Amino acid sequence: MPTANPPHGTPSADIVTGCHVLGTDDHGDPVWGHVSARDPGGRGVWLKSGGRGFDEVSYDDVALIDFDGALREGTGPPPREYPLHTEVLRARPDVNSVVHCHPPYSIALAATGQPLHAFSNGAGPFAGGVPRFEEPVGLVQTAELGAAVADRLGDARGLFLVGHGIIAVGSSVATAVTTAILLERACRLQILAASAGGVSPELHHPGKRYVHAESDGYLLRTWEYLVRRLEATTRSGT
Ligand SMILES: [Zn+2]
């Protein structure tokens, strides 16, 4: 029997909304990728299960696991790459949500070996650079690999898993999902610029110009719009 919808603002409700927002923004691949949220009671991590497209995720697809991957609530099973989430959350007390997904422009730009140049307004969260995890490990399925990814992430907001996808982090599901969307947009703009001759060298230095979107307040205003757009799409049935 389907689970009753949890109250708005709970981790599982936030994860479902975050997945649906990502599902309207070409972040699915098509059923891979996940969103997690730290349990406010310290019991572990709420996480979307594997094998479901972002746009079709329901509350029954979100489960609570502990930091060793044991199921605590819900039906699971958790995705095999749950250590990406648990180890980043373990390493970053300032982070309460992790997004891992496979957006096409981010994967494509990372594959070129070029750094992301934060030359657009929405690229502000990445003005300090986007670290790269380049080890050819395939899926991140162990705590050791998850810890290595967390170490490479450092205090950044996003990371390229080269040849695989991205992770984006935030103090909430709202800011982590919005960060993933802004990272993909920044990569798309850079690829667009490359097709027209490339980014001017004077814009290669992050944080100097045209970058204003670094605050959580900016991210939250963007998130509120993304949710309004999702709700309008749902109402219209398109
Ligand atoms: Zn993946």
Side-chain angles (χ1 to χ4, degrees), residues 22-46:
L22 289 168
T24 63
D25 210 72
D26 196 23
H27 278 65
D29 184 26
V31 296
W32 313 115
H34 358 95
V35 178
S36 66
R38 189 190 299 276
D39 181 67
R43 295 179 296 164
V45 180
W46 293 88

Side-chain angles (χ1 to χ4, degrees), residues 29 32-34 81 84 100-102 138-140 161 164-166:
D29 184 26
W32 313 115
H34 358 95
E81 289 192 293
L84 269 178
H100 166 56
C101 53
H102 306 164
L139 299 181
V140 180
L161 287 164
H164 180 166
I166 65 163

Side-chain angles (χ1 to χ4, degrees), residues 210-226:
Y210 310 118
V211 173
H212 309 288
E214 65 275 11
S215 73
D216 269 12
Y218 178 99
L219 296 174
L220 289 171
R221 285 193 294 280
T222 304
W223 164 258
E224 287 161 6
Y225 165 72
L226 294 170

Side-chain angles (χ1 to χ4, degrees), residues 76-99:
R80 287 184 292 171
E81 289 192 293
Y82 77 82
L84 269 178
H85 299 264
T86 51
E87 295 308 314
V88 169
L89 289 166
R90 204 193 298 267
R92 289 278 299 269
D94 61 313
V95 166
N96 290 313
S97 177
V98 178
V99 172

